[in-house]
Amino acid sequence: MTQRTPPPHGRPPADPSALGGLSASLLDAERAIPPAPSGALERVLSRVEATIAAPPVAAAATHGALWIKVAVAALVVSGAVGIFVATRDDAAAPASVASVAAPSSSTAIAPSPATPPPPSPGVLPATPPALPAPSDLRPAPTAPANPIVEETGTVTEATALNAAPNKDEAIPNPASDQEAETIPPATAPSGTEPTHPVRPSADPVAERALLDQAQAALRAKRLPDLFAAVNLHAERFPRGALTEEREALRIRGLVEAGDRDAAKARADRIRRRNPQSLYASSLDALGL
Amino acid sequence: MTAAPPSPSRPASPGAPDALASPGRRFDPEFAALYRAEFDWVFRTLRRLGARDADLEDLAHDVMVVAYRAFDAYDRSRPIKPWLFGIAFRVVSDYRRRARFSREELSADERATTPAHQESDLERAHARALVLAALDALPLDQRAVFVAVELDETPVPELARALGIPLNTCYSRLRLGRKRFAEAVTSLHREDAGRTS
């Protein structure tokens, strides 16, 4: 057994008192793990290259956006809501239908088509089959005054704020809907700007600073400040590089405020938009 | 990582300089260097997070593809490993969910049959098998924090940031993870001793 020959303890533990001798010596053995099997690096490298060499997602996004425009226009003109529902494959159809029927705007192009665009050839073979990422036809951002258009937008967040201790400081959330619609998937189409699958930020420092403020507000349980910061971020950087982080912060704020339903809806949206989202795991951890 | 500026045009610029000196390869030099430098670490991180040996290459592929696609958004002022760890964690979460993964499906016995790659020290190999078996006693969120902090020496604040969780949550997971790990090690050690006596 291993404890007979404890390897030298080669690193300062983060908390020296945390793990006892047996655990520590086992972990030392694990740290000395040999490299990956011979050839693995090259084998995986060729596969990664094959995956990323696939046509850029932007092409699919363009087609997807076109599809959406056609679909939305057809709906607006004909009112053929039933047809639209039939094309959807998620259970949120009624809300979405309501939102499409709402007089938001013909530019209200959701980032996702009624029928998903052809999957990117770059879809990871070993990752979950794309959730119908693009199956979520929601209204566009430009209808902040219409609470119907976004089932988890302004209304629910306002509810959350009202539930918070500082409800008198509740911040109007004009950008809530917009924000929700502009979580750009890393690899999936973004409805209105399909040519930007990866989102450079115009002002990364300002983006970071706003979300740091939001983070600090969350830590201090100053929920109105949190929502103010994320809303401001949504207004200034609707397609910024940190939109998912912003949404994750908002979700945590909603959880803090006790509105788990809204938080869950937004968490689901993140997963739909970007199954690979780095934040999905933290949402899992919140039980969302 | 060096603090090279992001190159937004990278994914669409197959003609970019090719650090791997092989025709048709599309990594830019910075990502190619990252790949070479971190591949082994990604591989063992996936294993430590509970991936089956047979799935490690698939998952390493996924991590690297996600990393490649997100590379422009990576903040060069931050260390690379926590960032990659966040990706690996997410990939493993999906993997476990997808496979309806359960602890029983990946038993220590199954792992023990896996050849220890280039392993000559059987005792260490056994110790490592024990570590993985003990890690199986931890829920994935605690496991991830435990692995990153205890094995990779990732600073907790950096890890919390990379995982998108509050700092206190990260500390809490670390504390619980340490406790469960120590309990599991003790229990496995007793079983071991029982078998050999």
Side-chain angles (χ1 to χ4, degrees):
Chain A
M1 229 357 257
T2 327
Q3 77 280 8
R4 291 196 301 265
T5 56
H9 197 68
R11 55 115 213 179
D15 176 358
S17 64
L19 285 171
L22 178 55
S23 293
S25 64
L26 290 174
L27 291 176
D28 274 330
E30 173 61 21
R31 276 183 214 106
I33 189 172
S38 170
L41 184 148
E42 292 297 339
R43 280 194 300 276
V44 175
L45 177 61
S46 358
R47 289 177 55 198
V48 172
E49 285 170 342
T51 303
I52 64 175
V57 175
T62 306
H63 296 146
L66 181 61
W67 220 104
I68 300 164
K69 289 177 184 172
V70 171
V72 172
L75 281 172
V76 169
V77 171
S78 69
V81 170
I83 295 171
F84 171 61
V85 170
T87 65
R88 289 182 46 85
D89 58 359
D90 80 31
S96 297
V97 168
S99 62
V100 168
S104 47
S105 137
S106 61
T107 61
I109 297 162
S112 40
T115 299
S120 157
V123 165
L124 304 179
T127 45
L131 294 171
S135 68
D136 187 339
L137 182 56
R138 282 203 171 80
T142 49
N146 185 350
I148 300 171
V149 298
E150 172 55 78
E151 70 269 32
T152 59
T154 307
V155 170
T156 49
E157 189 167 300
T159 305
L161 282 166
N162 290 336
N166 297 326
K167 66 179 183 180
D168 54 331
E169 297 175 39
I171 308 294
N173 184 17
S176 176
D177 296 340
Q178 173 172 359
E179 181 279 339
E181 292 313 312
T182 53
I183 306 165
T187 58
S190 168
T192 52
E193 289 189 14
T195 55
H196 291 78
V198 177
R199 323 139 289 195
S201 173
D203 188 346
V205 175
E207 264 209 85
R208 183 72 261 159
L210 267 176
L211 292 192
D212 283 348
Q213 284 176 25
Q215 180 83 256
L218 177 65
R219 276 199 300 271
K221 305 268 197 287
R222 289 183 280 105
L223 299 184
D225 292 350
L226 163 68
F227 289 126
V230 296
N231 289 341
L232 184 56
H233 183 279
E235 284 175 1
R236 291 188 56 193
F237 306 104
R239 296 180 201 289
L242 304 175
T243 47
E244 283 194 356
E245 180 174 344
R246 173 185 74 215
E247 184 65 358
L249 282 166
R250 188 195 295 281
I251 287 169
R252 279 157 52 193
L254 288 168
V255 169
E256 280 292 331
D259 192 343
R260 290 192 68 84
D261 290 345
K264 176 81 169 68
R266 285 176 178 272
D268 290 344
R269 191 174 305 131
I270 283 188
R271 294 191 184 94
R272 276 197 301 271
R273 299 283 158 84
N274 181 10
Q276 301 300 318
S277 169
L278 298 183
Y279 295 96
S281 53
S282 62
L283 302 177
D284 295 344
L286 289 171
L288 297 174
Chain B
M1 291 298 301
T2 56
S7 51
S9 63
R10 175 180 44 72
S13 56
D18 181 6
L20 300 179
S22 170
R25 298 204 164 168
R26 301 187 176 224
F27 290 166
D28 66 22
E30 190 185 3
F31 190 81
L34 178 153
Y35 182 94
R36 294 272 180 203
E38 306 298 345
F39 180 82
D40 274 348
W41 176 82
V42 166
F43 207 83
R44 21 175 216 277
T45 296
L46 292 166
R47 179 173 163 276
R48 288 167 177 171
L49 291 178
R52 293 179 181 86
D53 280 7
D55 297 328
L56 287 173
E57 290 191 18
D58 284 348
L59 296 176
H61 161 271
D62 293 358
V63 169
M64 289 302 188
V65 169
V66 173
Y68 176 83
R69 289 180 172 156
F71 198 45
D72 286 334
Y74 160 58
D75 177 354
R76 299 329 195 243
S77 68
R78 298 263 159 201
I80 189 72
K81 277 193 168 68
W83 182 74
L84 275 176
F85 189 88
I87 294 175
F89 175 57
R90 175 62 188 145
V91 165
V92 171
S93 296
D94 286 348
Y95 158 76
R96 292 166 70 114
R97 193 180 305 121
R98 187 171 65 244
R100 300 190 188 286
F101 207 90
S102 72
R103 199 171 298 160
E104 291 70 30
E105 287 172 346
L106 185 60
S107 68
D109 288 344
E110 180 186 346
R111 274 222 192 77
T113 62
T114 307
H117 306 300
Q118 303 168 19
E119 180 60 66
S120 59
D121 183 343
L122 291 178
E123 207 160 76
R124 286 201 162 197
H126 183 72
R128 284 200 279 274
L130 202 55
V131 168
L132 293 181
L135 286 174
D136 280 345
L138 276 61
L140 182 59
D141 54 0
Q142 293 171 21
R143 179 179 187 145
V145 173
F146 182 87
V147 163
V149 174
E150 289 294 336
L151 291 168
D152 293 330
E153 302 173 45
T154 307
V156 175
E158 198 64 57
L159 179 64
R161 188 183 188 96
L163 294 177
I165 59 176
L167 187 60
N168 285 342
T169 303
C170 205
Y171 276 116
S172 167
R173 288 180 190 176
L174 177 60
R175 182 176 48 79
L176 293 170
R178 282 172 169 161
K179 181 168 179 287
R180 289 199 190 195
F181 182 81
E183 288 168 355
V185 163
T186 305
S187 160
L188 289 164
H189 177 56
R190 279 203 198 104
E191 289 173 21
D192 247 12
R195 276 200 292 267
T196 54
S197 63

